Amino acid sequence: MKDVVIISLLGLNMLFKLFDTIADAQFGAPELHILLEIILILLTAIGTIYLSYDLVRRSREMKQLAKQLINADKKIDNISSHMRSARQEYSKAVSTQFHTWSFTKSEQQVAFLLLKGLSFKEIAEVRQTKEKTVRQQASSIYGKATVDGRHTFCAWFMEDFIQEHDQGLANNYQ
């Protein structure tokens, strides 16, 4: 909008300067004065044309960027819905495994928080229990899952999850 106003003002200025030059020529102004005014009119015309061209170019670019943004938003929405779906499926698979290992309700809560990466202290705060209780529940979880600690417990879920997707990479490291 600002550009349109500037271009309009330059156009008006050019038009008024043209009328002034014509009037000066009719009243017998010196030729140098008329020449300088014609040069100013030409420079104003060049500036107006350049700004008009630039305004049209930027307007087209903005429309193109707006289209790209809409497409990107659609892709993000699509990815987000896929992620929500994958998260739900993964949570169900984790819950099913917890039931297979016969975790109590409290152990399931602690196990989910362990998988999310919370420390024993943070889990205790979230669950409003003592850290010692969380440590004991974690030991019980590790025993039922037949793993030796938090890292192995988390890796148990990630290994199966990743292995299906990229078997080729795993073979490269063996």
Side-chain angles (χ1 to χ4, degrees):
M1 181 67 184
K2 171 179 73 171
D3 292 334
V4 173
V5 171
I6 291 171
I7 291 168
S8 298
L9 290 174
L10 283 173
L12 283 173
N13 182 34
M14 185 176 57
L15 188 63
F16 288 136
K17 195 65 176 164
L18 180 63
F19 290 142
D20 179 53
T21 304
I22 292 170
D24 285 350
Q26 288 176 347
F27 290 120
E31 290 179 12
L32 181 60
H33 177 76
I34 301 295
L35 181 63
L36 290 175
E37 285 190 350
I38 289 173
I39 291 171
L40 285 174
I41 292 170
L42 289 174
L43 290 175
T44 304
I46 291 169
T48 303
I49 291 168
Y50 174 76
L51 286 175
S52 299
Y53 168 78
D54 191 52
L55 177 64
V56 169
R57 181 187 56 80
R58 283 189 287 137
S59 177
R60 287 181 185 151
E61 286 176 2
M62 292 294 284
K63 287 177 183 175
Q64 186 65 24
L65 287 172
K67 287 179 185 177
Q68 289 175 355
L69 183 60
I70 289 169
N71 289 338
D73 284 343
K74 287 178 182 176
K75 286 180 182 179
I76 288 171
D77 287 343
N78 192 21
I79 290 170
S80 296
S81 67
H82 287 310
M83 287 300 292
R84 279 190 297 274
S85 176
R87 189 179 304 129
Q88 288 173 348
E89 289 179 36
Y90 188 66
S91 291
K92 286 178 187 175
V94 170
S95 292
T96 300
Q97 187 59 48
F98 288 175
H99 288 292
T100 301
W101 285 329
S102 302
F103 286 0
T104 66
K105 191 71 171 167
S106 294
E107 288 171 340
Q108 288 181 32
Q109 291 171 349
V110 170
F112 269 118
L113 296 173
L114 287 170
L115 289 174
K116 287 186 174 213
L118 274 67
S119 68
F120 292 139
K121 183 178 180 180
E122 291 168 329
I123 294 171
E125 289 173 8
V126 168
R127 298 195 67 243
Q128 296 179 343
T129 61
K130 294 184 179 182
E131 190 175 338
K132 183 179 179 180
T133 303
V134 173
R135 286 183 185 278
Q136 289 170 342
Q137 289 171 319
S139 291
S140 177
I141 289 167
Y142 304 150
K144 290 179 179 180
T146 62
V147 296
D148 59 5
R150 174 192 298 250
H151 298 293
T152 312
F153 178 68
C154 292
W156 191 95
F157 290 97
M158 289 307 295
E159 184 175 337
D160 288 340
F161 186 67
I162 294 172
Q163 192 174 20
E164 287 180 27
H165 173 64
D166 209 348
Q167 188 69 17
L169 281 177
N171 292 336
N172 290 340
Y173 291 108
Q174 292 176 353

